[in-house]
Amino acid sequence: MVVLLSNLSLQEFLQLSETKPASEYINQNIYQKPMPQGKHSRVQTRLSSGINQIGEVEKKALALTELRCTFGGRSVVPDIAVFEWSRIILDEDGEIANKFEIYPDWVIEILSPDQFPNRVIDKIIFCINQGTKLGWFIDSNDKSVMIFEPNKLPEIKYNDDKLPVLKILADWQITPADIFSWLKIK
């Protein structure tokens, strides 16, 4: 991530045109996310689909990819932002809103080759400190998932370790081995 601009206010940042890939506003600096590559894209697509197969059908939760979330003085774009159904922002027509000015209930970040791990981890910790219930940091290099939860030290899960999910999705079980198996295309 390269700093594009600094010392802008959050309001000034939000007035700028969107970039591709998305830019984020963190501590008065603007960082552009790297362009997703194959492994990142595959995990992001399959994981968000898996969450929505349970969460959306049962109206428990909704996983949204690359959604701008502005809260706590930052504007971030998690790889996957999951919201409990009751917290999904709707517009005046009862449709999903375009702007989400709340924290996600679950934030999932997938490390890209050009990203700095600590900057991504900082984003997850920020979300947890703002009210997010669960954070995942997925690293395809060592096939691990680092788990973040409020008032707990991070944990790293490998292979067949069961990964924690939101309580409302407790019937859904997934492991790091499940996630990384999606990288093999047969």
Side-chain angles (χ1 to χ4, degrees), residues 1-7 28-32 119:
M1 280 186 181
V2 176
V3 178
L4 298 178
L5 292 169
S6 60
N7 296 320
Q28 294 184 316
N29 292 312
I30 299 172
Y31 300 94
Q32 189 169 19
R119 195 165 291 144

Side-chain angles (χ1 to χ4, degrees), residues 131-144:
T132 296
K133 298 174 185 177
L134 179 63
W136 284 8
F137 175 74
I138 299 172
D139 186 346
S140 62
N141 292 322
D142 73 350
K143 308 286 191 266
S144 69

Side-chain angles (χ1 to χ4, degrees), residues 41-125:
S41 184
R42 176 75 172 155
V43 169
Q44 182 180 29
T45 301
R46 286 292 306 264
L47 189 53
S48 59
S49 293
I51 293 166
N52 285 335
Q53 282 178 351
I54 301 295
E56 190 171 1
V57 169
E58 298 179 9
K59 295 190 177 352
K60 291 181 176 182
L62 183 64
L64 300 167
T65 60
E66 303 295 329
L67 175 71
R68 177 167 306 287
C69 299
T70 303
F71 58 94
R74 290 189 184 186
S75 187
V76 297
V77 182
D79 292 327
I80 303 173
V82 182
F83 293 88
E84 291 185 2
W85 203 261
S86 63
R87 293 189 67 241
I88 297 170
I89 304 297
L90 303 177
D91 65 16
E92 59 277 352
D93 295 325
E95 298 175 347
I96 192 164
N98 280 324
K99 293 185 179 183
F100 275 63
E101 295 178 343
I102 62 172
Y103 58 85
D105 292 296
W106 178 8
V107 63
I108 300 170
E109 291 289 345
I110 305 153
L111 186 64
S112 292
D114 298 333
Q115 282 184 302
F116 296 106
N118 285 348
R119 195 165 291 144
V120 178
I121 290 169
D122 176 68
K123 183 171 32 169
I124 296 170
I125 292 170

